[in-house]
């Protein structure tokens, strides 16, 4: 596996640098971009903590960089923040670009087993395996101090990454995550396409199922959900199912906060970003 990365852009931000890098992914078999915020402490300090952030449907690495305002809090706490793209890029598989909730921009953080997706759509292994190795080889980070965060489809990705890899991420912060994908229209469409009709193979990628089985070190999860989120009313998110599963597992502490008046967008995310960085900093700084 090549660990080489190439700088695509760099802008000074809160005393640090908001960068975008690209690299050749051997897992996805394509060139991938990821955002990398290097806080001011990066110049002098080694072993910085890391936050991974996974975005939602239709996003590239740019949405979080441009809309969330996270850099202010990453600079304050001295955290390196890595945010990958949401799917493999550069292909033209049949139907890949036809809908916003499947194919490009909608990799769903699973390893596909179905044709024609299974060769490239392996975002679970990319996010939890290849990307952390690339990051560890290129930046002054302490991989033992990692947290994972995400929004919507990316909240689902963050939850399954944390729940399936006990101890790898010290905590998990999620905004309006797709919490029980096997039971919602977005998840059923994606899992049928990427994983096939056999629902037993879906469970490993469903936070509500994996939360019941988790028995690693105590996992702290902060979940914010807007009460006026249209996708909550459409039953795409189902956070109450995750909350029920976590309530039966003494190895998980879920802080589930309903936020009156907020919807699903980045104004909601930016409103609680400081809380999420304070929460993650407690576990990794
Ligand atoms: N129908 C919409 C759906 C796109 C959308 O709302 N995407 C969200 C994530 S939803 C779950 O993963 C998002 O983060 N959008 C990017 C943004 O900058 O707001 C559409 O395609 O219009």
């Amino acid at each position: 596996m090549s660990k080489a990365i190439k700088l695509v852009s760099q802008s000074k931000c809160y005393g640090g640098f908001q960068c975008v890098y690209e690299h050749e992914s051997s897992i996805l078999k394509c060139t991938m971009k990821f955002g990398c915020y290097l806080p001011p402490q990066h110049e002098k300090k080694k072993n910085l903590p890391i936050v991974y952030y996974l975005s939602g449907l239709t996003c590239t690495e740019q949405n979080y960089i441009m809309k969330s305002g996270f850099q202010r809090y990453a600079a304050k706490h001295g955290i390196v923040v890595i945010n990958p793209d949401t799917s493999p890029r550069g292909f033209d598989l049949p139907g890949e670009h036809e809908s916003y909730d499947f194919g490009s921009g909608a990799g769903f953080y699973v390893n596909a087993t179905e044709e024609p997706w299974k060769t490239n759509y392996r975002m679970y292994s990319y996010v939890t395996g290849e990307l952390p190795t690339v990051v560890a080889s290129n930046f002054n980070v302490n991989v033992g101090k990692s947290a994972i965060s995400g929004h919507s489809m990316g909240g689902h990705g963050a939850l399954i990454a944390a729940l399936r890899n006990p101890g790898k991420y010290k905590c998990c912060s999620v905004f309006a995550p797709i919490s029980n994908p096997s039971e919602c229209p977005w998840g059923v469409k994606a899992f049928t396409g990427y994983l096939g009709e056999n629902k037993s193979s879906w469970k490993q990628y469903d936070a509500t199922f994996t939360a019941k089985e988790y028995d690693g070190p105590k996992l702290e999860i902060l979940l914010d959900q807007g009460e006026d989120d249209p996708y909550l009313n459409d039953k795409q998110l189902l956070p109450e199912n995750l909350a029920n599963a976590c309530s039966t597992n003494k190895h998980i502490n879920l802080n589930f906060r309903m936020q009156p008046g907020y919807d699903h967008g980045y104004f909601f995310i930016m409103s609680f970003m400081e809380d999420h960085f304070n929460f993650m900093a407690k576990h990794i700084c």
Side-chain angles (χ1 to χ4, degrees):
M1 175 179 69
S2 167
K3 293 170 188 160
I5 57 174
K6 185 174 149 205
L7 186 64
V8 175
S9 66
Q10 175 173 284
S11 305
K12 192 159 186 183
C13 183
Y14 289 107
F17 288 93
Q18 178 61 62
C19 306
V20 173
Y21 288 91
E22 66 180 23
H23 73 121
E24 296 309 313
S25 165
S26 56
I27 297 241
L28 306 178
K29 302 182 174 52
C30 66
T31 306
M32 288 295 284
K33 286 194 181 124
F34 63 89
C36 173
Y37 180 71
L38 299 172
Q41 298 84 342
H42 186 74
E43 309 238 313
K44 296 201 180 118
K45 217 171 149 191
K46 291 194 189 307
N47 298 322
L48 292 175
I50 319 167
V51 164
Y52 292 92
Y53 177 89
L54 307 181
S55 288
L57 293 167
T58 71
C59 291
T60 67
E61 81 292 342
Q62 286 297 322
N63 301 66
Y64 180 62
I65 291 172
M66 301 300 286
K67 291 181 161 182
S68 75
F70 80 85
Q71 293 91 346
R72 178 175 186 164
Y73 311 113
K76 176 180 157 198
H77 292 292
I79 297 173
V80 172
V81 180
I82 304 292
N83 67 296
D85 201 348
T86 54
S87 74
R89 299 286 177 181
F91 302 104
D92 201 8
L93 303 170
E96 188 181 13
H97 312 303
E98 275 169 17
S99 49
Y100 79 92
D101 54 2
F102 190 79
S104 51
F108 260 87
Y109 307 103
V110 301
N111 288 343
T113 52
E114 298 301 292
E115 296 288 0
W117 314 103
K118 66 182 191 185
T119 307
N120 309 102
Y121 276 68
R122 302 179 57 77
M123 289 297 287
Y124 177 76
S125 289
Y126 177 69
V127 162
T128 60
E130 184 174 25
L131 186 61
T133 304
V134 167
V135 169
S137 318
N138 286 283
F139 304 104
N140 282 332
V141 290
N142 180 347
V143 292
K145 291 182 175 180
S146 299
I148 192 155
S149 180
H151 169 229
S152 197
M153 176 184 74
H156 140 74
L159 287 165
I160 56 168
L163 290 165
R164 289 182 54 176
N165 297 278
K168 185 176 175 92
Y169 306 98
K170 300 301 173 209
C171 63
C172 181
S173 116
V174 281
F175 302 88
I178 300 173
S179 300
N180 192 183
S182 308
E183 300 297 332
C184 76
W186 277 337
V188 169
K189 177 176 176 179
F191 285 8
T192 304
Y194 294 134
L195 305 172
E197 303 277 352
N198 183 351
K199 289 194 173 185
S200 63
S201 69
W202 298 7
K203 289 186 177 175
Q204 61 185 314
Y205 295 114
D206 188 314
T208 294
F209 283 108
T210 50
K212 286 179 194 151
E213 284 166 13
Y214 179 85
D215 68 352
K218 186 86 173 223
L219 179 62
E220 302 279 345
I221 304 173
L222 175 60
L223 189 165
D224 274 315
Q225 172 63 59
E227 268 183 17
D228 290 359
D229 180 335
Y231 299 122
L232 181 68
N233 297 328
D234 289 350
K235 307 268 181 240
Q236 293 283 21
L237 306 172
L238 305 172
E240 63 281 6
N241 294 358
L242 177 67
N244 284 339
C246 291
S247 71
T248 65
N249 188 335
K250 65 181 188 309
H251 300 280
I252 301 176
N253 184 28
L254 171 67
N255 184 4
F256 176 17
R257 309 190 308 186
M258 289 301 289
Q259 302 291 2
Y262 288 91
D263 66 16
H264 196 68
Y266 268 85
F267 291 118
F268 156 63
I269 296 172
M270 70 164 69
S271 301
F272 299 100
M273 191 54 71
E274 182 172 17
D275 283 4
H276 282 247
F277 268 84
N278 286 341
F279 162 73
M280 291 188 285
K282 266 200 318 204
H283 295 281
I284 58 174
C285 292

